[in-house]
Amino acid sequence: MAYNNELVNRVRERLSLEDNMEVEEKKMFSGLSFLVNGKMCINISHDNLMCRYNAELEDEVSGKKGFLPMMMKGKQLKGYCYVEPSGFQKSDDFEYWIKTCLDYNPSAKASKKKM
């Protein structure tokens, strides 16, 4: 599993600023995922962020620099995207993506637990 450790630390540091939030790190999606309150929130895959957000924001987020649609079985998976480094190098852009993911997290569905 390849992921950018500097980016992992940047996300880890940013998430540590939040109150009343349980963060778990888990290797998944060919990278390292940050689960917030038991739900996948953001992932680091190679040098990219993988973001989970409200699908109603698709038009807004797809216009952001560095946005790459997440494709599964030839179809775009709404509410998920990859963001290339050019889209989060600036601190304001990085904060946009983290906040967008965190804002959606309370209403996101948790994955079913395996027995």
Side-chain angles (χ1 to χ4, degrees):
M1 295 196 188
Y3 49 85
N4 181 317
N5 283 312
E6 287 179 33
L7 183 54
V8 165
N9 288 331
R10 190 175 177 194
V11 171
R12 189 180 286 140
E13 183 178 310
R14 172 56 185 84
L15 292 177
S16 74
L17 301 175
E18 296 293 319
D19 292 327
N20 302 317
M21 194 172 74
E22 181 183 321
V23 178
E24 177 187 355
E25 297 179 18
K26 189 174 185 178
K27 291 184 179 183
M28 55 194 292
F29 299 115
S30 300
L32 185 71
S33 285
F34 289 87
L35 285 74
V36 173
N37 299 327
K39 298 176 261 184
M40 200 294 286
C41 185
I42 197 160
N43 177 281
I44 313 304
S45 181
H46 301 283
D47 291 327
N48 295 337
L49 291 176
M50 186 183 98
C51 298
R52 184 180 188 191
Y53 56 90
N54 185 334
E56 292 177 7
L57 298 176
E58 197 71 34
D59 288 342
E60 176 185 326
V61 300
S62 65
K64 293 287 186 183
K65 184 176 185 178
F67 173 89
L68 295 172
M70 186 169 174
M71 305 299 287
M72 188 173 281
K73 298 181 182 179
K75 293 185 179 184
Q76 183 176 350
L77 189 58
K78 302 282 185 189
Y80 293 85
C81 72
Y82 290 102
V83 184
E84 296 178 307
S86 64
F88 59 81
Q89 285 177 333
K90 293 180 182 177
S91 59
D92 287 349
D93 295 333
F94 180 76
E95 182 61 24
Y96 169 84
W97 289 109
I98 297 294
K99 185 169 176 5
T100 298
C101 293
L102 289 175
D103 286 351
Y104 179 61
N105 187 261
S107 59
K109 292 185 179 180
S111 296
K112 294 179 182 176
K113 302 274 186 198
K114 293 181 181 178
M115 296 288 187

